[in-house]
Amino acid sequence: MNTKLLMMASAILMGIAGIVLSFGPQEVLLGLGQDSNQISVIALQLMGALYFGFAITNWIAKGTIIGGIYGRPISIGNFTHFFVGGLALAKAYMNESKLPLIILLVAIIYLVFAILFGYVLLNHPKKQM
């Protein structure tokens, strides 16, 4: 598997999420049909900072060998983030019928990334060209 493409895709996805959450938390809350209060806004901005930090980490690590024992912290961190996040989003969508369809779409994207990072984590890396 070409981990460089996977790392770039996850970095771009998380970078966009980080920027949106950092600079537009009220708009995100409005789009999700939630009331905007100070705690929610701060929580989303902190989550945006986490996403952006993870994006930068993935972007910088894209040229290194990821998989097997090489780059294990990066692959475990990404796998854990996407697996746990995907399950949480899927569970929330299945248990709450009033959630917007975007939650299901994000859950699917998360679970696809979880599968890909799980594959990278459990397989020996191949030399990249």
Side-chain angles (χ1 to χ4, degrees):
M1 170 180 273
N2 188 345
T3 58
K4 186 173 185 173
L5 292 175
L6 178 61
M7 298 298 284
M8 288 172 59
S10 65
I12 291 168
L13 177 77
M14 287 192 275
I16 291 169
I19 290 169
V20 168
L21 291 170
S22 293
F23 295 108
Q26 292 94 348
E27 290 80 3
V28 170
L29 288 168
L30 182 66
L32 294 173
Q34 300 297 312
D35 294 331
S36 178
N37 61 51
Q38 189 174 9
I39 298 296
S40 298
V41 169
I42 291 170
L44 287 182
Q45 287 176 321
L46 286 173
M47 192 166 64
L50 287 167
Y51 271 116
F52 196 74
F54 220 148
I56 295 298
T57 301
N58 283 354
W59 189 262
I60 291 171
K62 74 183 184 297
T64 62
I65 296 174
I66 306 291
I69 62 169
Y70 304 103
R72 196 163 187 81
I74 299 288
S75 58
I76 288 175
N78 277 289
F79 172 72
T80 303
H81 167 77
F82 285 113
F83 183 70
V84 174
L87 290 180
L89 288 165
K91 180 182 175 188
Y93 187 79
M94 289 188 298
N95 289 340
E96 182 62 48
S97 61
K98 294 180 183 178
L99 286 177
L101 190 60
I102 190 75
I103 300 296
L104 179 61
L105 178 63
V106 173
I108 291 168
I109 292 169
Y110 258 65
L111 292 172
V112 167
F113 272 105
I115 290 167
L116 294 172
F117 275 109
Y119 178 82
V120 166
L121 179 65
L122 298 174
N123 288 288
H124 189 69
K126 293 182 175 67
K127 194 178 238 184
Q128 294 183 9
M129 306 262 169

